[in-house]
Amino acid sequence: MIKEKIYIASDHAGFELKEKIISFLKEQKIDFEDLGPCDNNRCDYPDYAHLLSSKIDEKTFGVLVCGSGIGMSIAANRHKNIRCALCNEPLSAELSRKHNDANILALGARLIGEDMAFKIINIFISTSFEGGRHCGRISKIEDNL
């Protein structure tokens, strides 16, 4: 299923990579909405993870960027119906979509370069959920929230 929009947000540590990703999304003509921040002044990653997570539905994806991606993924995964995957290479992005129906991608700006981020994003947004046996497993996650 092709998603209609990507929401993107970062903290101060992820701001520079977020801006490069925004340029990449524009070049690819992918519809997105930047949820902030608007500069690299110190800010708290949970604020942006919670904001982005509150906007995700079946028609959208999210991309969160912080220093390691860990904090953003932890905060995002506190929300019902959110499956945020921290990915540092394309295979994890592919499997997170195929097997986990991940709807938010977390990236660590201090761990990956912009070219790797672009590859990961391309795989994440172009890979479909396989369904089948994976649906029951996802239900078990959601039923526990």
Side-chain angles (χ1 to χ4, degrees), residues 6 8 15 17 19 47 54 65 74 82-83 85 88 102 106 108-109 114-115 130 134 140 144:
I6 296 175
I8 186 166
F15 178 76
L17 181 57
E19 294 300 301
D47 297 336
S54 72
V65 189
I74 291 170
I82 295 298
R83 290 168 307 282
N88 293 316
E114 66 185 88
D115 289 339
E130 288 181 348
H134 304 294
K140 287 181 179 184
N144 198 41

Side-chain angles (χ1 to χ4, degrees), residues 4 6 20-21 25 36 55 60 81 89-91 99-100 105 115 124 129-130 136 140 144:
E4 294 177 5
I6 296 175
K20 291 176 181 176
I21 292 169
L25 295 174
K55 295 188 174 286
T60 58
N81 298 318
E89 36 65 40
L91 181 58
H99 296 179
N100 310 112
L105 173 65
D115 289 339
F124 188 85
F129 176 52
E130 288 181 348
K140 287 181 179 184
N144 198 41

Side-chain angles (χ1 to χ4, degrees), residues 55-76:
K55 295 188 174 286
I56 299 299
D57 61 23
E58 64 279 347
K59 297 179 182 178
T60 58
F61 277 136
V63 175
L64 291 168
V65 189
C66 66
S68 67
I70 296 169
M72 287 288 204
S73 65
I74 291 170

Side-chain angles (χ1 to χ4, degrees), residues 6-7 12 19 23 30 36 44 48 53 67 81 86 106 108 114 117 121 125 129 131 140-141:
I6 296 175
Y7 291 102
H12 55 283
E19 294 300 301
S23 294
I30 297 170
D44 296 329
Y48 291 95
S53 297
N81 298 318
L86 170 58
E114 66 185 88
I121 290 167
I125 66 175
F129 176 52
K140 287 181 179 184
I141 295 169

Side-chain angles (χ1 to χ4, degrees), residues 45 49-50 69-79 84 106:
Y45 65 84
H50 295 317
I70 296 169
M72 287 288 204
S73 65
I74 291 170
N77 280 319
R78 301 289 297 163
H79 292 260
C84 180

Side-chain angles (χ1 to χ4, degrees), residues 17 20-21 24-25 28 30 63 87-97 105 107 112-127:
L17 181 57
K20 291 176 181 176
I21 292 169
F24 169 76
L25 295 174
Q28 300 296 310
I30 297 170
V63 175
C87 300
N88 293 316
E89 36 65 40
L91 181 58
S92 294
E94 180 181 357
L95 293 174
S96 76
R97 289 288 308 127
L105 173 65
L107 299 171
I112 62 171
E114 66 185 88
D115 289 339
M116 181 58 70
F118 302 160
K119 289 176 188 173
I120 293 168
I121 290 167
N122 265 335
I123 294 293
F124 188 85
I125 66 175
S126 64
T127 302

